[in-house]
Amino acid sequence: MYARIINLTAQSETQLTMWQEMFKNIGSNQLTELGAIQITIVKIAPNKAVQMNVYPNKEIALKVSEKVKTRVSELGKLLKMEINEGEVVFNQNSLTHQ
């Protein structure tokens, strides 16, 4: 598995909330259709969040990144973004742990 982690900083809590709602209703479905197998957003401050998108492999992650490049660029004009990515080396949750 391969993950892309995006640190997001909005100018205000309202701006972050508006982005979250738009992403939940539109963006998350698009990423899933393109190949994401898990999408998680964690609010870490009133105007900050971390988004983690998990893909089956690096190749799919790169294809998705290329397809959403324009939207990410537009979003970068509204929110400060720092993107990191890498191989998932450990994953455990109550759905997969036995």
Side-chain angles (χ1 to χ4, degrees):
M1 288 189 297
Y2 196 79
R4 180 164 286 123
I5 297 97
I6 306 164
N7 293 300
L8 299 152
T9 304
Q11 293 178 5
S12 67
E13 183 173 10
T14 301
Q15 185 185 40
L16 183 66
T17 301
M18 288 173 57
W19 168 79
Q20 284 174 230
E21 291 305 314
M22 182 188 71
F23 182 81
K24 285 192 299 188
N25 292 315
I26 300 169
S28 63
N29 293 332
Q30 292 172 344
L31 283 183
T32 301
E33 289 172 4
L34 291 172
I37 57 175
Q38 179 181 337
I39 302 167
T40 304
I41 297 174
V42 179
K43 189 172 182 178
I44 59 172
N47 69 324
K48 295 181 180 185
V50 176
Q51 177 180 343
M52 185 168 74
N53 305 327
V54 179
Y55 302 92
N57 56 51
K58 184 177 182 177
E59 291 75 26
I60 291 174
L62 293 174
K63 286 179 186 177
V64 172
S65 178
E66 187 63 32
K67 288 183 180 182
V68 300
K69 182 172 36 176
T70 301
R71 282 180 257 160
V72 170
S73 178
E74 291 171 5
L75 180 61
K77 295 174 185 174
L78 300 173
L79 303 174
K80 180 182 172 192
M81 296 187 315
E82 178 186 322
I83 302 172
N84 294 292
E85 56 186 58
E87 180 183 352
V88 175
V89 296
F90 178 79
N91 178 44
Q92 177 178 315
N93 62 52
S94 62
L95 298 175
T96 60
H97 182 68
Q98 298 187 18

